């Protein structure tokens, strides 16, 4: 795995830092700010589900999780899921506090992650989005990512819902 992918990133007051146990309580608070959004995630980060999900982010091989900070406050998380065999990464597991939405923070975060990945020679970046999440699909398309297709009924979420997943890709030289 390219360890340099998991180094801190920043754009002004917005920081992405490797997720550690020290971020647990701040992320718990941030995730609780929008309980309705978790119905569209494959997993929950609410209540009793938070600690196992947080630990999973830290312990999953190939997952490089980041805490999203603004002014030192934990306001979300995002990850690279690294596929070294195919020189690809998925950017996903992204949650940001409602107060960061519609501020450009998500685009800034994604630009940092995209530029870092391509700078390390990654040849393909993927985004996988629940098709019920129109806001996220529009944000990914706004980065210039290409809709490769929809995987129908491919993932069972923590609620038992069987979701369809839109798969987008971005290649070096494509807009962001």
């Amino acid at each position: 795995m390219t360890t340099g992918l998991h180094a801190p990133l920043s754009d002004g007051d917005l920081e992405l830092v490797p997720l550690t146990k020290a971020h647990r309580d701040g992320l718990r608070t941030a995730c609780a700010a929008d309980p309705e959004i978790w119905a569209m995630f494959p997993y929950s980060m609410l209540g009793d589900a938070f600690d196992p999900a947080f630990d999973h982010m830290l312990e999953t091989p190939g997952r490089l999780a980041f805490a999203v900070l603004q002014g030192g406050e934990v306001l979300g998380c995002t990850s690279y899921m690294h596929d070294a065999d195919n020189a690809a990464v998925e950017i996903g597991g992204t949650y940001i506090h409602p107060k960061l939405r519609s501020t450009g923070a998500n685009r800034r975060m994604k630009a940092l992650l995209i530029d870092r990945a391509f700078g390390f020679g990654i040849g393909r970046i993927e985004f996988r989005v629940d098709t019920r999440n129109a806001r996220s699909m529009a944000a990914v398309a706004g980065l210039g990512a290409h809709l490769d297709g929809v995987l129908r009924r491919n993932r069972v979420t923590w609620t038992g819902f069987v979701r369809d997943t839109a798969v987008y890709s971005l290649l070096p030289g494509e807009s962001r």
Side-chain angles (χ1 to χ4, degrees):
M1 179 174 305
T2 308
T3 56
L5 285 174
H6 206 208
L9 294 158
S10 65
D11 178 4
D13 64 345
L14 185 70
E15 298 176 89
L16 303 179
V17 299
L19 185 71
T20 68
K21 292 179 181 181
H23 299 116
R24 185 182 299 268
D25 290 336
L27 186 57
R28 182 190 320 271
T29 299
C31 290
D34 186 4
E36 291 79 29
I37 195 74
W38 295 103
M40 287 191 282
F41 274 70
Y43 50 87
S44 173
M45 291 192 75
L46 297 173
D48 292 341
F50 180 86
D51 285 321
F54 183 90
D55 292 340
H56 184 75
M57 283 196 299
L58 291 177
E59 299 166 2
T60 300
R63 185 169 189 162
L64 307 174
F66 292 88
V68 177
L69 308 175
Q70 185 177 50
E73 182 182 5
V74 178
L75 292 175
C77 59
T78 193
S79 298
Y80 285 127
M81 279 71 83
H82 193 240
D83 181 357
D85 292 338
N86 293 305
V89 294
E90 176 186 347
I91 296 174
T94 302
Y95 167 80
I96 57 172
H97 192 285
K99 70 181 176 182
L100 285 183
R101 296 183 194 149
S102 300
T103 67
N106 186 53
R107 185 173 185 79
R108 291 167 56 205
M109 287 171 30
K110 295 297 192 301
L112 290 168
L113 293 165
I114 289 165
D115 290 348
R116 165 74 54 81
F118 286 149
F120 274 90
I122 297 298
R124 175 184 169 87
I125 297 173
E126 292 184 357
F127 304 89
R128 295 174 179 257
V129 183
D130 186 321
T131 58
R132 296 174 294 167
N133 194 339
R135 181 176 56 220
S136 289
M137 289 177 32
V140 169
L143 295 169
H146 173 79
L147 176 62
D148 292 334
V150 174
L151 303 174
R152 299 178 305 148
R153 298 183 50 84
N154 80 305
R155 189 157 195 187
V156 179
T157 70
W158 67 278
T159 65
F161 181 81
V162 183
R163 81 176 208 183
D164 294 343
T165 302
V167 179
Y168 292 83
S169 66
L170 192 61
L171 305 177
E174 294 178 338
S175 66
R176 64 152 185 82

